[in-house]
Amino acid sequence: MLSDGYHDVPKGKVATVVTHLEMLSRVETRDVPAPEGWRLTRIQTPTVPWYRAIYTSVGADWLWFGRMKLPDAEIDAVLSDPKLHVYTLQKDGTDGALLELDFRVDGECELVYFGLIPELIGTGAGRFLLNAAIDAAWSEPIKRFHVYTCTLDSPQALGFYRRSGFVPIRQKIEIADDPRLTFGYDRALAPHVPIFEP
């Protein structure tokens, strides 16, 4: 348990406040079309190279690193599980989103990853994609749909999830290696997060 007050973050690390949210029954959604020319596609057998590419395209600006630090065999084991559903938005051979739903806990669905390539932000694609996530999650026999977001993500993310029917239930502090220093990420990524050299 952290005591009140300030706490130094070790050099070479990033610290973030993580907010966990949940939805305990299906909410009504307002109909929003996909951006012109884009279609929602479930990737039935995602390959590790495809997954790494879309994960980076969507998440690098926000320092997503959880899956990138895993070896290929571990990612493949996760992606091969039939209870993990992976979707994207596609247009003319381009993938523009990552939506990952995890049904591996009975009665629950976790919205593990949700994001868009920069070109789709502000087009309504986020609302369309989250509506699809809500539909897909509650089409299964679940009692709880949950997600978390953190202060490395877009500052709009927490409000977006709350407006979509998710309720905050707890917060945590996460301290991790800065991926720009340890996982080979471009040091120019996430300029909103300072780098503290070790």
Side-chain angles (χ1 to χ4, degrees):
M1 185 70 88
L2 289 176
S3 60
D4 289 352
Y6 295 103
H7 302 273
D8 286 335
V9 175
K11 291 185 182 296
K13 304 281 187 177
V14 290
T16 181
V17 178
V18 180
T19 302
H20 293 255
L21 305 99
E22 68 180 8
M23 181 187 296
L24 298 180
S25 61
R26 194 192 190 293
V27 297
E28 291 300 316
T29 57
R30 60 181 174 83
D31 191 34
V32 174
E36 187 174 348
W38 291 90
R39 62 184 171 80
L40 181 69
T41 303
R42 181 168 175 196
I43 308 300
Q44 296 289 347
T45 54
T47 65
V48 172
W50 176 87
Y51 185 83
R52 285 190 183 277
I54 192 62
Y55 187 95
T56 301
S57 296
V58 168
D61 286 341
W62 310 109
L63 294 186
W64 287 10
F65 59 85
R67 290 279 169 78
M68 294 302 284
K69 65 183 182 181
L70 298 178
D72 286 358
E74 285 187 40
I75 295 175
D76 187 55
V78 172
L79 296 177
S80 299
D81 193 310
K83 292 187 176 183
L84 189 86
H85 300 183
V86 178
Y87 299 82
T88 190
L89 294 173
Q90 292 183 326
K91 179 181 180 181
D92 300 330
T94 298
D95 295 309
L98 178 59
L99 169 59
E100 187 173 328
L101 300 173
D102 187 342
F103 294 94
R104 290 179 293 175
V105 175
D106 286 345
E108 296 191 1
C109 177
E110 180 181 358
L111 177 54
V112 184
Y113 287 106
F114 176 91
L116 306 168
I117 60 173
E119 297 87 332
L120 282 178
I121 293 173
T123 66
R127 173 56 57 202
F128 171 81
L129 193 63
L130 190 56
N131 286 354
I134 291 169
D135 288 343
W138 290 103
S139 70
E140 300 289 333
I142 65 167
K143 296 180 179 177
R144 179 174 182 253
F145 187 25
H146 61 107
V147 65
Y148 69 83
T149 187
C150 73
T151 50
L152 295 179
D153 286 335
S154 165
Q156 300 169 339
L158 181 57
F160 177 68
Y161 287 130
R162 294 181 75 178
R163 289 191 303 277
S164 302
F166 288 95
V167 176
I169 56 170
R170 71 178 175 276
Q171 286 187 319
K172 296 180 179 179
I173 303 294
E174 180 183 20
I175 297 175
D177 290 334
D178 188 326
R180 295 164 297 184
L181 298 174
T182 55
F183 303 133
Y185 278 38
D186 187 333
R187 293 171 67 95
L189 290 171
H192 63 290
V193 182
I195 295 174
F196 295 103
E197 299 285 354

